[in-house]
Amino acid sequence: GAYPLVATALLAGGFVLATFREGSAAAGMRASRWLVYGWLAQNVLLVVSAGWRLWMYVSVYALSRMRLAAGVWMALVACGLVLIIVRVWGGRSNGWLVRGNLVALAAALMVYACGAPNLLIAGFNVRHCREAGNAGACSVDVTYLSSLGYDALPALILLEGRVRDTPLAFSVRSVIRKLRGPLDAASAGWRGATLKRRYVAGKVAQYDAEREARRGGDG
């Protein structure tokens, strides 16, 4: 329901821009305001319902890139609805409403582009999986974690420490070995140095040190 919500929010914004434009007769009509409030209240209920369904999906099937994107869309819709309410209630201008939504969209794109969504997804899934001791949670999908690339290495290392004495540990170690090659290739040279890669490489180095310490203790 994330994408239909975007359409309803755009419709609500269009209604406000057309009905409450500067100098229009409807701008001062009380009935017009209450009609817009009714439309906005319906959209708020839709956002709450869609967010609740999204959380249930994540609880049962874990977090994915599409579900994270849907959550971002819903947050933008909620922000747009708040700005529309402030525009109508506070008597702001249409230009203020457009600028506010553009700022919210630009901020979301910057955070998503500069962040590490795959790192977030992998960490969330491992911390909330059944193997991490969460009763009733879904089982971790190691194949999906592998598809996230080397960003999933910190989460896989955390998972390996928790399933060390189970059959799942072999699969986790295999994926860790598989993803280290792309990480080393991406980090080769100063051009590949980023804060995210330094963080991931630091976790891998810590993992190697702990494995060597365990081997020394076994010996």
Side-chain angles (χ1 to χ4, degrees):
Y3 301 116
L5 280 176
V6 176
T8 60
L10 290 175
L11 282 174
F15 290 159
V16 171
L17 292 177
T19 305
F20 296 98
R21 64 185 183 276
E22 287 76 3
S24 67
M29 294 175 59
R30 189 174 182 180
S32 299
R33 290 177 178 271
W34 283 108
L35 285 173
V36 172
Y37 291 151
W39 179 265
L40 292 175
Q42 173 184 269
N43 284 324
V44 169
L45 288 176
L46 288 173
V47 171
V48 172
S49 174
W52 179 53
R53 291 197 307 272
L54 175 63
W55 176 248
M56 287 194 297
Y57 270 102
V58 171
S59 300
V60 176
Y61 300 110
L63 187 62
S64 67
R65 281 182 285 233
M66 288 297 294
R67 290 175 191 133
L68 179 62
V72 173
W73 276 117
M74 291 179 192
L76 282 174
V77 170
C79 180
L81 292 175
V82 170
L83 290 173
I84 291 172
I85 293 172
V86 173
R87 157 67 182 93
V88 177
W89 189 273
R92 305 278 183 151
S93 66
N94 285 348
W96 177 88
L97 177 61
V98 173
R99 288 192 298 272
N101 279 280
L102 289 176
V103 169
L105 178 60
L109 290 174
M110 287 296 294
V111 170
Y112 204 85
C114 297
N118 289 346
L119 194 69
L120 172 66
I121 293 168
F124 180 92
N125 288 348
V126 168
R127 288 192 302 270
H128 294 84
C129 68
R130 187 181 306 150
E131 289 78 6
N134 297 303
C138 61
S139 182
V140 68
D141 188 345
V142 178
T143 302
Y144 182 74
L145 292 180
S146 176
S147 71
L148 297 176
Y150 57 78
D151 287 356
L153 278 170
L156 286 166
I157 291 170
L158 175 63
L159 179 62
E160 193 272 342
R162 293 180 175 177
V163 300
R164 191 172 298 158
D165 299 324
T166 67
L168 181 61
F170 177 80
S171 298
V172 175
R173 294 187 191 109
S174 176
V175 174
I176 291 175
R177 289 193 297 268
K178 171 187 171 184
L179 296 179
R180 293 186 62 167
L183 174 64
D184 294 338
S187 303
W190 61 270
R191 293 182 181 87
T194 64
L195 292 176
K196 181 185 71 174
R197 287 178 187 145
R198 289 189 64 180
Y199 170 77
V200 175
K203 287 294 184 180
V204 173
Q206 180 181 352
Y207 169 70
D208 289 339
E210 291 176 353
R211 288 195 68 187
E212 288 297 325
R214 288 200 301 267
R215 288 176 180 174
D218 295 340

